Amino acid sequence: MSAPRISFEFFPPRSLDASFRLWETMKMLAPLKPGFVSVTYGAGGTTRQLTHEAVKAIGTHFGVDVAAHLTCVDATREETLAIANSYAEAGVNQIVALRGDPPKGAERFTAHPEGFADSVELIEALAATGKFNLRVGAYPEPHPEAADDLADVRWLKRKFEAGADSAITQFFFEAETFLRFRDKCAKEGITKLIIPGILPIENWEGTKRFAARCAAQVPAHLDEAFTKANAEGREAELSVQVCADLCRRLMAEGVEDFQFYTLNRPHLTLAVCAELGIHPEGQAAA
């Protein structure tokens, strides 16, 4: 089984210390030769300028393809497209186009009166420019706002019809979650690439809280295993094993691409990649 294609997600730093951490993370992960890396927006578009700066710095200094996240939150159409054009002028040709989470304190997304109503409208406008490879989000488990089990699949199909080139999923814990979703997508006529999003677990309690916000189901057996591993001081070891096993199970079912949610911490992602046969350029497997 050949090594998969990989990509990494980072978030923009909000402090000097965080900037150094992102820089060190990139120095460790760039030699793995990812197909691309992506840089997120904060909730409600709060890191718009920081995202722009991080995208430019990573592309310039590490020579990797960077996909900039772009959302519809709290911006007019004109403002949003101006941000996209500034990316294009900086040499960025990939965008992860998302509706975006509601601003802090808001329960639901509300479109700006002069903004894009949703991700489909944003994708259509970006596709019309002809400047970008467009990636979008996908939900292998029902989005908290989904009306039924097929709502996310049909919405993803609309995104592809609007001009998206590929999709990256929310993280999940069991291979069958992604495989069932992939089957539903195929049944609805979706043929474009869907990349599973993989989360190496840095902190189990924090991951469970994150999963609850995203409506990702936490398997009881994993909760038991991490609770025991944490008590024994081997949480990192278990995390690498669980993550690598998840990837290998997906690879056995024909998955060839993964995006790792790094949380700007490289060590677990580096270890998982090594388990999958992916090593820094020039370094042979041990």
Side-chain angles (χ1 to χ4, degrees):
M1 191 182 300
S2 59
R5 295 180 290 266
I6 56 170
S7 58
F8 305 125
E9 180 184 281
F10 306 108
F11 57 82
R14 293 174 179 262
S15 67
L16 185 59
D17 283 347
S19 294
F20 284 131
R21 187 164 67 243
L22 175 58
W23 209 251
E24 288 303 309
T25 297
M26 276 301 308
K27 283 174 66 177
M28 293 181 70
L29 295 181
L32 298 180
K33 297 299 177 184
F36 68 97
V37 302
S38 65
V39 182
T40 68
Y41 256 29
T46 50
T47 63
R48 186 174 292 136
Q49 185 59 35
L50 294 174
T51 298
H52 193 277
E53 292 168 1
V55 165
K56 289 179 67 176
I58 289 171
T60 300
H61 292 280
F62 293 98
V64 298
D65 247 350
V66 187
H69 284 217
L70 186 62
T71 76
C72 308
V73 178
D74 278 354
T76 67
R77 289 170 177 256
E78 185 178 356
E79 289 168 341
T80 303
L81 292 177
I83 294 167
N85 283 329
S86 70
Y87 284 133
E89 290 168 3
V92 175
N93 61 9
Q94 297 198 53
I95 283 180
V96 181
L98 306 163
R99 186 198 71 180
D101 295 325
K104 190 174 182 180
E107 292 186 4
R108 296 181 66 85
F109 170 83
T110 302
H112 188 287
E114 299 174 31
F116 294 106
D118 52 45
S119 57
V120 169
E121 285 193 1
L122 174 61
I123 293 158
E124 287 173 341
L126 293 172
T129 70
K131 297 178 180 179
F132 304 104
N133 177 295
L134 296 174
R135 304 182 187 276
V136 296
Y139 295 87
E141 296 174 278
H143 186 279
E145 298 174 24
D148 56 56
D149 285 349
L150 275 179
D152 293 307
V153 175
R154 290 170 177 157
W155 190 248
L156 178 59
K157 186 175 183 180
R158 287 190 61 191
K159 293 179 186 180
F160 281 131
E161 290 170 346
D165 298 288
S166 64
I168 304 166
T169 77
Q170 177 61 272
F171 72 89
F172 52 90
F173 295 105
E174 296 189 296
E176 287 69 23
T177 300
F178 176 83
L179 298 174
R180 284 193 296 267
F181 178 70
R182 188 178 67 172
D183 288 346
K184 290 178 183 177
C185 288
K187 192 172 181 180
E188 289 294 313
I190 294 173
T191 58
K192 291 186 177 180
L193 177 64
I194 303 174
I195 302 171
I198 305 296
L199 178 66
I201 296 165
E202 288 280 348
N203 177 285
W204 180 240
E205 291 303 317
T207 297
K208 285 197 295 183
R209 290 192 294 271
F210 189 20
R213 292 198 301 270
C214 303
Q217 296 300 307
V218 176
H221 69 88
L222 266 191
D223 195 23
E224 293 168 7
F226 272 100
T227 299
K228 182 178 180 182
N230 186 49
E232 297 172 353
R234 54 181 187 85
E235 192 172 27
E237 178 186 338
L238 178 62
S239 178
V240 173
Q241 175 192 327
V242 165
C243 195
D245 286 349
L246 173 61
C247 292
R248 282 191 284 259
R249 170 81 175 89
L250 292 170
M251 290 166 66
E253 294 292 334
V255 174
E256 298 178 334
D257 299 81
F258 297 105
Q259 177 158 53
F260 291 96
Y261 295 119
T262 70
L263 304 181
N264 292 17
R265 298 181 184 279
H267 296 94
L268 288 181
T269 297
L270 200 64
V272 172
C273 286
E275 287 285 321
L276 301 179
I278 304 166
H279 301 274
E281 191 174 56
Q283 177 180 316

